[in-house]
Amino acid sequence: MTSVESRFLDQKASIMPVSLRGRKVEDEGVVPLINENDSRHQSPDKMGQSEYQEKKGIKGDELNVAVLLFLYVLQGIPLGLAAAIPLLLTNRHVSYKDQAQFSFAYWPFSIKLLWAPIVDSCFISSFGRRKTWLVPVQYLIGITMLLLSANVDFYLGEHDQSPNIVALTGMFFFLNFLAATQDIAVDGWALTMLQRHNVGYASTCNSVGQTAGYFLGYVFYIGLESYGLVTLSGFLFFWGIVFLCATTLVAIFKHEVTDKTKLTSAEENHPDLGVVETYTLLWKIIKLPLMPFMILVLLTSKMGFSAADSVTSLKLIEQGVPKDKLAMLAVPMIPLQILLPLVISRYTVGSKPMNVYLMAIVPRLILGLIFAGLVYVTPMFMLGNGQFPLYYYGMIVCIYSVHQIFANCMFVSIMAFFARVSDPAVGGTYMTMLNTLTNLGGNWPATLALWAVDSITVKECQGGDREKIAPSNVCDGAVQTDLCEDFGGTCVVLTEGYYIESVACFFLGLLWLLWGWRTIKWLQDANLDEWRVVETKKQKV
């Protein structure tokens, strides 16, 4: 459960207008990022009393809000389905190295900055700047889902065959790549689709819609699948048809605003940058003297949490916890994820938002050890019928709720810090780059942690016909595990790598903190002018 939720939290950061990311960092539910130069966030005396008085409420934008919400729901479906695959693979005895390989399917949302400038700058004017990308991308998502529905059972290893991890990773990486591209287009379209005074609803549609889509693709699917009410192939086929139908309706009936007098202030006040200009700007940001240290912090700060965030949920399933019950435990977390950012944001305003971030690191490292302890004692709670008592699930919810508090403390505080230091003149590009680095800083340790579990875990096949089993009697992966069981043996864990990795991550996190504490304090205390890439009049003087 922790791996899925933490990964979604990070993706949210990559979603923030670049959305759930900002939630998409935007990736963890968050404080609104405000650009004081944006008229939709200005007070009435700056914006004009008449405009504020004459234009209030959602009237006239009801359909537009519904369309945006639905588009973001569709965007969350591939993310949720990708999160469900590791749970299905665990029941098929795949190795954690295979799980690590599949984790690359989550990376597109974390690296979409690489192609976002192309999506923003290249389009067919007569068809629509955003529809140029949205329509073909969503058609591709629908077609890919239909193709995947016909082959997913084979890829997962039907008829006792080994799962095809390479094919699964490639297909879901492609799906998430398309969803990330759709996110870029929808984020941009939201600025012109809504009336000027309603643009603030765009972030709400993003957060609510993507969360709902993720819930449908992950929690809802796992629940139905566990009770035999739906198959993955059937679920993919259904949503493939939905994507094709919805995209056709959008292409035919939904038109973009082309009249510049009707554009929102967000687009009016920020001139378009070409592909070359945008990449040049990114390079200027990277060359800032403070940025190498910021990049190193963002890419390494989550190493100490990698075992807890990426492996725990899979280990709980391995210990016998039903995957549908584990997925459903995400439901009571939803209100908490909504309320926590609102509370935490009160402590992240001002010039030192990262103080909250630093204070949350040690408790979160300790929670990593608690998660390892939870996995260790899980078999003791199993009843004779293979089920677990209600109080066991209550214990998981309590532990995970505490984890969510500290995870959100770190998320909200670093988002506040990004909002503070980002150059207002190029805030969108600046924020997106920092969010991308944050997401990458969570993805690579998670992938490495999954891969390392198998490397330090020792399993031996005991019993059965030892001569027909592999000579070393080692159970490493699905093939050797099935071979051991086929000849009457049982795979016994001699050394559990997850516990070793959890302890190692705890001490690694403490060592990182010795450097990270001073570095973050130094970055936080730096003059804001040192973060700027566009020279201001004050700087010139």
Side-chain angles (χ1 to χ4, degrees):
M1 180 170 67
T2 56
S3 63
V4 171
E5 295 301 324
S6 297
R7 187 174 291 120
F8 183 56
L9 200 56
D10 289 335
Q11 282 177 338
K12 279 190 272 189
S14 64
I15 295 173
M16 204 173 186
V18 162
S19 132
L20 272 189
R21 279 94 117 104
R23 188 217 208 282
K24 269 181 171 183
V25 177
E26 305 148 45
D27 287 26
E28 289 180 35
V30 208
V31 195
L33 301 179
I34 297 178
N35 178 358
E36 61 182 6
N37 296 318
D38 190 337
S39 64
R40 72 177 180 271
H41 296 307
Q42 292 175 359
S43 59
D45 61 315
K46 290 185 179 180
M47 182 176 178
Q49 291 284 353
S50 59
E51 183 177 352
Y52 236 74
Q53 291 172 352
E54 293 174 5
K55 296 184 178 181
K56 292 182 179 180
I58 200 175
K59 186 176 181 180
D61 266 341
E62 296 90 342
L63 179 60
N64 291 330
V65 169
V67 170
L68 278 178
L69 187 64
F70 184 63
L71 290 176
Y72 281 122
V73 169
L74 292 180
Q75 181 186 120
I77 298 296
L79 290 172
L81 285 171
I85 295 299
L87 277 63
L88 302 178
L89 292 176
T90 299
N91 289 340
R92 288 165 170 78
H93 307 296
V94 301
S95 68
Y96 282 88
K97 290 181 180 178
D98 289 335
Q99 294 278 16
Q101 182 176 330
F102 182 80
S103 70
F104 283 105
Y106 305 117
W107 283 53
F109 267 102
S110 298
I111 58 176
K112 66 180 181 181
L113 180 63
L114 297 177
W115 66 90
I118 299 174
V119 176
D120 279 333
S121 304
C122 303
F123 54 90
I124 302 172
S125 301
S126 59
F127 187 55
R129 178 174 184 172
R130 309 303 175 181
K131 288 173 64 176
T132 296
W133 291 92
L134 178 72
V135 171
V137 161
Q138 288 199 168
Y139 272 132
L140 281 174
I141 292 176
I143 293 171
T144 302
M145 283 185 165
L146 292 179
L147 293 175
L148 190 54
S149 70
N151 298 283
V152 70
D153 291 333
F154 173 75
Y155 295 152
L156 284 172
E158 61 181 354
H159 308 308
D160 297 326
Q161 295 179 341
S162 298
N164 189 334
I165 303 299
V166 173
L168 283 172
T169 303
M171 293 297 290
F172 279 94
F173 182 94
F174 184 60
L175 272 179
N176 282 339
F177 166 77
L178 294 174
T181 305
Q182 187 251 29
D183 176 59
I184 298 168
V186 177
D187 282 346
W189 197 1
L191 296 177
T192 56
M193 186 184 296
L194 300 175
Q195 297 178 66
R196 180 173 305 183
H197 62 288
N198 284 330
V199 170
Y201 285 105
S203 61
T204 302
C205 291
N206 181 296
S207 180
V208 174
Q210 197 196 40
T211 301
Y214 183 89
F215 181 90
L216 289 172
Y218 172 55
V219 179
F220 186 66
Y221 162 70
I222 287 294
L224 293 179
E225 189 269 346
S226 297
Y227 290 100
L229 299 177
V230 69
T231 63
L232 182 56
S233 60
F235 199 77
L236 283 165
F237 183 84
F238 170 79
W239 283 108
I241 297 297
V242 171
F243 264 95
L244 295 179
C245 294
T247 304
T248 301
L249 292 175
V250 170
I252 296 174
F253 297 108
K254 191 59 185 171
H255 304 288
E256 290 191 52
V257 174
T258 56
D259 185 351
K260 291 186 177 181
T261 63
K262 297 181 181 180
L263 294 178
T264 65
S265 58
E267 293 228 331
E268 290 174 348
N269 296 335
H270 296 84
D272 292 334
L273 294 176
V275 176
V276 175
E277 291 90 342
T278 301
Y279 286 119
T280 301
L281 176 60
L282 289 173
W283 180 242
K284 288 182 179 179
I285 295 174
I286 293 173
K287 289 197 302 181
L288 290 173
L290 294 175
M291 198 53 65
F293 298 94
M294 187 76 252
I295 291 173
L296 190 58
V297 167
L298 297 179
L299 291 180
T300 60
S301 60
K302 297 179 182 178
M303 293 188 300
F305 317 130
S306 57
D309 288 350
S310 62
V311 186
T312 300
S313 60
L314 302 179
K315 280 298 177 182
L316 287 174
I317 295 175
E318 194 176 281
Q319 294 283 48
V321 180
K323 63 180 183 295
D324 59 311
K325 299 291 194 304
L326 203 59
M328 290 304 295
L329 291 180
V331 176
M333 294 296 105
I334 294 176
L336 193 64
Q337 290 179 339
I338 294 173
L339 295 175
L340 277 176
L342 300 177
V343 176
I344 297 168
S345 62
R346 298 180 181 181
Y347 302 95
T348 57
V349 296
S351 61
K352 299 186 182 298
M354 291 298 282
N355 288 352
V356 175
Y357 184 96
L358 292 170
M359 293 175 62
I361 291 177
V362 172
R364 193 170 170 187
L365 290 173
I366 294 173
L367 279 166
L369 297 179
I370 294 176
F371 276 125
L374 175 65
V375 172
Y376 182 79
V377 302
T378 290
M380 304 177 189
F381 289 90
M382 183 180 290
L383 302 176
N385 58 1
Q387 299 298 312
F388 290 86
L390 185 61
Y391 64 83
Y392 170 77
Y393 294 111
M395 180 174 63
I396 293 181
V397 170
C398 290
I399 295 174
Y400 189 58
S401 296
V402 176
H403 173 270
Q404 283 291 91
I405 292 174
F406 292 109
N408 274 274
C409 281
M410 296 182 68
F411 176 79
V412 174
S413 59
I414 203 166
M415 287 302 103
F417 179 70
F418 289 169
R420 179 174 179 270
V421 302
S422 294
D423 191 335
V426 290
T429 301
Y430 211 125
M431 281 288 299
T432 301
M433 191 198 79
L434 292 174
N435 285 335
T436 297
L437 292 170
T438 300
N439 294 332
L440 285 175
N443 278 341
W444 78 261
T447 298
L448 181 60
L450 285 167
W451 178 86
V453 168
D454 274 344
S455 299
I456 54 180
T457 295
V458 179
K459 294 182 180 180
E460 182 180 78
C461 182
Q462 297 182 355
D465 190 341
R466 301 180 65 87
E467 293 183 358
K468 294 182 179 180
I469 304 174
S472 62
N473 293 313
V474 174
C475 292
D476 184 13
V479 175
Q480 292 182 345
T481 298
D482 291 341
L483 185 64
C484 175
E485 294 177 352
D486 288 344
F487 289 101
T490 302
C491 284
V492 177
V493 177
L494 302 181
T495 303
E496 177 54 75
Y498 169 66
Y499 303 132
I500 297 174
E501 189 172 272
S502 296
V503 174
C505 283
F506 174 77
F507 287 106
L508 180 62
L510 291 180
L511 287 173
W512 181 91
L513 192 57
L514 294 176
W515 169 83
W517 185 285
R518 290 174 296 182
T519 303
I520 289 175
K521 286 284 189 178
W522 172 65
L523 291 170
Q524 183 172 245
D525 293 337
N527 191 297
L528 291 181
D529 288 340
E530 297 183 59
W531 296 94
R532 302 296 185 246
V533 290
V534 176
E535 190 175 11
T536 64
K537 292 181 179 179
K538 180 179 179 181
Q539 289 173 309
K540 291 179 181 179
V541 174

